[in-house]
Amino acid sequence: MSESVAQLTESLLKMLQNETFVLLNTVDAESGGPTSTAISWVYAVNATTLRLAIDHRSRLVRNMKENPLVTLTIFGEGTVHAINGRSVVKIDPLPEVPFEMCCFDVQISAVRNALFYGAQLESAPKYAKTYDQRAAEKLDGQVFAAMQKA
């Protein structure tokens, strides 16, 4: 682990302005325990703010409304980054998307290397969408456009 900074590096900022796989860690509103969920609707507004779009059917919406402290885990640049911050509802519901979503902004309080000492990632995780590719591209386009306008 290394020292933390309170904003994204230029390369992380660029990475997070494109579709990226991240783990969103929240505090579960029912159990009070930690949760971790993979998401891809994340967008870096600038070096100190991340924007997330979350389906209202997800427990994450309630979790973040009740306890705004979050950590996003990002795999890239040969390492694992932990981004700590405080989430706040930006817009709810997010307009111009086909189902009800909540848009959150995360104000970054710390960015740190979370990989154990002496290690380097050889590759970042990759994922494939398992539903209709055209539908996935259309939905992603709608969500990211709405997030950028919010």
Side-chain angles (χ1 to χ4, degrees):
M1 289 193 230
S2 63
E3 256 182 64
S4 68
V5 295
Q7 66 181 26
L8 300 172
T9 63
E10 186 64 32
S11 57
L12 269 176
L13 178 66
K14 287 180 183 175
M15 185 172 117
L16 290 166
Q17 289 181 328
N18 295 294
E19 186 176 344
T20 305
F21 162 84
V22 303
L23 296 177
L24 174 60
N25 306 283
T26 64
V27 176
D28 187 79
E30 288 181 24
S31 72
T35 66
S36 185
T37 305
I39 65 169
S40 63
W41 289 324
V42 58
Y43 174 76
V45 176
N46 55 48
T48 60
T49 306
L50 295 175
R51 186 162 292 156
L52 316 173
I54 307 293
D55 185 332
H56 259 281
R57 295 171 289 188
S58 170
R59 293 173 64 144
L60 294 172
V61 172
R62 181 174 168 209
N63 290 354
M64 290 190 293
K65 284 182 176 181
E66 291 193 19
N67 185 333
L69 298 177
V70 299
T71 299
L72 288 99
T73 305
I74 300 166
F75 304 87
E77 302 180 308
T79 194
V80 177
H81 298 279
I83 299 174
N84 301 97
R86 180 173 291 274
S87 62
V88 62
V89 173
K90 175 69 175 172
I91 189 166
D92 186 15
L94 186 62
E96 302 175 24
V97 294
F99 50 89
E100 197 169 331
M101 299 187 81
C102 188
C103 185
F104 290 89
D105 275 359
V106 175
Q107 298 304 314
I108 296 170
S109 59
V111 179
R112 65 181 177 80
N113 181 342
L115 190 59
F116 55 89
Y117 179 77
Q120 181 176 342
L121 287 184
E122 291 185 4
S123 66
K126 292 185 179 184
Y127 63 92
K129 295 182 180 161
T130 57
Y131 56 102
D132 182 282
Q133 188 63 35
R134 287 185 318 175
E137 288 174 7
K138 180 180 179 185
L139 178 59
D140 286 343
Q142 290 170 320
V143 172
F144 280 106
M147 287 170 59
Q148 290 172 357
K149 286 182 193 176

